[in-house]
Amino acid sequence: MQKMQTNSIAAVARTLKEADSILISGHVMPDGDSIGSTIALGLALGKIDKNVAMTSPHQVPDIYKFLPGSNCVQQGMPEGKFDVFVALDCSVPDRLGDELQSLVNDSVTVVNIDHHQSEKPFADVNYIDSNSASTGEIIYDLLKEMNIELDKNIATNLYTAIASDTGSFKYEGTKPTTHHKIADLLQFDVKVAHVSKSIFDEKPIEVFKVLQIALPTLEVSNCGKVAWISFDLMAKDRISAKDEHTEELVDYPRRIKGVEVALFFREISTGSVKVSMRSNYFVDVNKLAARFNGGGHKRAAGCLIDGGISDVREQIVAAAIEAVQRGSLND
Ligand code: 5GP
Ligand code: MN
């Protein structure tokens, strides 16, 4: 199929309506937006009798296993052929992981639904709304466009997707329309307290063990505006922590008063470091991450860098300090 240059939710709806079999996937190291959006769209397309498969490059993290339909999400490339492959919450094919990104150059029609800024949409049919705080909100709009009725299970997944990516409606991207959509979803008896407890409050013991090891690594730059925390492979081996248990570590440096850029360095294998970047007020960390082949949003971004953790840390901290200095001048 020819790549369409238009950015049209109607074209996405049409493509899905015309398909019989549809595969849906979110991104590597999936978060609540990725998983919730995948399941919500999968359940909704099932309701209009599509043959749907839901997958994820990595396993559904334990904290999202309470989601209705999470047991239908497979891992990696499923068997069989599909008419359409829908990539969710992925700004570039890399975010689908090694296996699933091969579908982007395959004969299957690829649909991309996302809320990250993208200079060059990669799919055959794209709908990218970088004003949306979450992919979940776009899925809500898509289901309205397709006249698919919501129900409790779909609403619970969409609520989780939106609550996750807005930090429980606290982040800058939260808009009146976000709350209008949430008000509609709550009419389907979403158990808000249960969702909040599951995704924000209750944590497995490993999260606290990770914190015990990681907090002593917290450092702040001389200027007081950049702070970072690290988690290396040795630390990971000391406790049986999974990636998902380290997800919120970046919030500790971010919450220090006066800090503008917070960084989290996680060694994922020897010679490979995942960097999470957050900013509080003015630094565009999407641009900072892009310098290292990563991406994301203005206030939350990330990248994957080859190198030892100390070298990577030195390089990124220096770039962050420079970005803060440049940003301060423009203020
Ligand atoms: P996190 O730090 O929580 O993993 O990711 C924060 C944001 O940055 C998310 O919006 C995510 O999509 C984006 N992001 C994280 N890592 C990467 C990466 O390696 N490449 C790109 N393009 N985006 C990333
Ligand atoms: Mn998202």
Side-chain angles (χ1 to χ4, degrees), residues 195-207:
V195 174
S196 299
K197 217 172 180 35
S198 306
I199 63 173
F200 294 120
D201 195 15
E202 202 172 68
K203 303 285 169 195
I205 186 68
E206 287 84 354
V207 169

Side-chain angles (χ1 to χ4, degrees), residues 9-257:
I9 200 164
V12 170
R14 214 166 34 242
T15 306
L16 295 178
K17 282 222 158 133
E18 284 167 7
D20 285 326
S21 57
I22 301 165
L23 173 65
I24 308 168
S25 176
H27 55 74
V28 288
M29 295 180 200
D31 55 17
D33 191 27
S34 186
I35 294 291
S37 295
T38 298
I39 302 173
L41 181 60
L43 295 178
L45 293 174
K47 281 175 84 160
I48 56 165
D49 298 325
K50 301 295 175 187
N51 186 354
V52 183
M54 301 176 226
T55 193
S56 166
H58 292 143
Q59 225 186 14
V60 177
D62 288 344
I63 61 162
Y64 302 116
K65 286 194 177 149
F66 77 94
L67 285 171
S70 62
N71 56 340
C72 304
V73 181
Q74 311 169 41
Q75 197 200 328
M77 185 75 83
E79 300 266 301
K81 285 261 168 219
F82 298 89
D83 300 329
V84 170
F85 171 51
V86 186
L88 297 177
D89 209 28
C90 294
S91 52
V92 285
D94 270 9
R95 300 282 292 154
L96 289 162
D98 291 343
E99 239 185 336
L100 289 160
Q101 69 175 286
S102 66
L103 291 173
V104 173
N105 296 317
D106 199 269
S107 54
V108 67
T109 297
V110 180
V111 170
N112 178 28
I113 303 171
D114 188 26
H115 67 125
H116 297 90
Q117 270 172 4
S118 170
E119 275 160 27
K120 202 166 150 272
F122 62 84
D124 300 303
V125 185
N126 297 281
Y127 185 65
I128 293 153
D129 178 5
S130 57
N131 280 320
S132 181
S134 59
T135 296
E137 283 166 71
I138 307 177
I139 301 299
Y140 174 94
D141 292 337
L142 177 65
L143 302 191
K144 293 281 162 194
E145 176 78 26
M146 295 179 77
N147 289 318
I148 301 178
E149 274 189 33
L150 301 180
D151 58 33
K152 184 174 176 174
N153 290 348
I154 295 173
T156 300
N157 278 285
L158 287 181
Y159 179 88
T160 301
I162 300 170
S164 296
D165 258 26
T166 56
S168 206
F169 317 105
K170 285 186 307 199
Y171 297 157
E172 268 176 17
T174 309
K175 302 208 164 46
T177 49
T178 313
H179 284 285
H180 288 145
K181 289 170 193 178
I182 290 294
D184 185 27
L185 293 175
L186 292 192
Q187 295 186 72
F188 294 91
D189 194 26
V190 175
K191 301 294 183 210
V192 173
H194 179 237
V195 174
S196 299
K197 217 172 180 35
S198 306
I199 63 173
F200 294 120
D201 195 15
E202 202 172 68
K203 303 285 169 195
I205 186 68
E206 287 84 354
V207 169
F208 298 92
K209 290 187 176 168
V210 162
L211 200 54
Q212 278 176 320
I213 295 177
L215 264 186
T217 74
L218 184 68
E219 290 182 77
V220 184
S221 62
N222 289 337
C223 63
K225 296 207 165 117
V226 177
W228 59 96
I229 196 164
S230 312
F231 199 70
D232 61 22
L233 280 180
M234 238 162 45
K236 192 174 175 185
D237 288 347
R238 266 167 66 194
I239 48 174
S240 49
K242 297 187 198 164
D243 290 335
E244 67 197 72
H245 300 133
T246 64
E247 227 172 47
E248 287 164 18
L249 283 180
V250 70
D251 284 333
Y252 290 87
R254 188 183 59 78
R255 283 163 55 199
I256 300 170
K257 198 167 166 59

